Amino acid sequence: MRKDLRTQARETVAGTKSGADSARRALEMLFAFTENKPSASVRDLAETLDIPVPSVHRYVAMLREMGLLEEGTRGQYHLTMRVAALARAARQATPLVDLAEPYMRRLAEQIGEAVLLIRMVGGQPVCSHRVESPGRFRLSFEPGQSLPLLRGASIRLLLGPMTPTQRENYVDSAIQSGAQPPLHGRERFLREVERDLKRGWSVSNEEIDEGVWAPAAAVYEDGNVVATLSAPCPLFRMDDQRRNLVIDTVRKASADLSNALDPGFSS
């Protein structure tokens, strides 16, 4: 006998629900792999997700067929680079400012100072985003504000993607255009660029504004410097201990942001 329309509808709904549940389980299995737990056996996955071992075998087989999982040694499974491609696509769809915001906010709370995200835009260092200091004393750096071409901690890191010859040309062109020259001269500036790039951080002492000390740390993506996190601080409340604390905290925040941009990043 032919099924009536109500029976067909109920079976369709049931099939759709079953398919959705299976897809949900498969996604949960992918999310079971983390940075701290990059590989797992079938039994591990069954215990983590609280589903029967035969079901895990079925989902693993499907994910392997799709190229999302592969088997390593001793029955341990791990994600493939195809999943990494999805992560890269997600990062491309997420503006850097949005990604950086929580790291900047946490950094500002930790050190009690304003935090800037600085990028190169059209050959000019620009404040792309700012998180205000939680304290009363505030420094004025507006989002979209251009910074000096040859002064400050960030520019010495943002020149990283350039070759040595390109950096020399950048400096010469900036000076010819009327920009403030480097505080300690052209040659020393270029040496400081090399030094700061090797260590991944830099410090400015009253280079841009009188009475302001500022560290900056490089933010990396695919091995290149794409931005810096900087924390301008009033010089009057900085001693050696606090300077070291702020530098270390800024470096940690930049490394965390770099890891969010590139999970393979190592500081």
Side-chain angles (χ1 to χ4, degrees), residues 58-250:
R58 187 170 70 253
Y59 293 131
V60 165
M62 180 186 69
L63 294 171
R64 290 183 69 183
E65 183 181 347
M66 296 179 66
L68 299 174
L69 277 187
E70 61 185 9
E71 187 174 5
T73 58
R74 299 181 181 179
Q76 296 285 312
Y77 291 91
H78 60 265
L79 301 176
T80 69
M81 292 306 295
R82 189 172 186 185
V83 177
L86 295 176
R88 287 194 295 271
R91 290 197 303 274
Q92 288 296 324
T94 304
L96 178 57
V97 167
D98 293 343
L99 191 62
E101 168 78 21
Y103 297 94
M104 295 175 66
R105 196 160 296 284
R106 182 176 63 189
L107 174 59
E109 291 172 355
Q110 289 173 331
I111 63 177
E113 305 290 355
V115 176
L116 310 179
L117 177 71
I118 301 175
R119 306 178 70 184
M120 287 292 274
V121 179
Q124 178 99 24
V126 172
C127 174
S128 296
H129 189 48
R130 177 192 66 196
V131 170
E132 286 286 8
S133 163
R136 292 183 178 181
F137 188 92
R138 296 186 178 182
L139 301 168
S140 179
F141 290 93
E142 297 294 333
Q145 177 182 340
S146 295
L147 302 176
L149 294 173
L150 300 172
R151 297 281 180 97
S154 288
I155 188 57
R156 292 193 285 274
L157 299 169
L158 293 172
L159 295 181
M162 297 183 185
T163 66
T165 299
Q166 289 172 333
R167 290 173 201 151
E168 292 177 4
N169 292 337
Y170 172 91
V171 173
D172 293 340
S173 177
I175 293 174
Q176 290 171 9
S177 71
Q180 285 181 302
L183 192 61
H184 302 293
R186 176 184 185 274
E187 298 308 317
R188 178 170 167 178
F189 175 83
L190 291 169
R191 291 196 301 271
E192 289 173 343
V193 169
E194 292 285 351
R195 178 201 65 194
D196 293 346
L197 285 171
K198 287 179 181 177
R199 64 185 185 178
W201 58 277
S202 184
V203 169
S204 165
N205 190 29
E206 298 189 288
E207 289 186 37
I208 297 178
D209 291 317
E210 185 178 353
V212 177
W213 175 89
V219 176
Y220 298 90
E221 184 175 16
D222 296 329
N224 294 314
V225 180
V226 295
T228 68
L229 290 184
S230 181
C233 305
L235 192 58
F236 72 84
R237 62 184 181 204
M238 306 303 295
D239 56 24
D240 288 344
Q241 182 178 1
R242 177 157 174 77
R243 284 192 185 94
N244 292 333
L245 173 64
V246 172
I247 290 171
D248 290 344
T249 311
V250 170

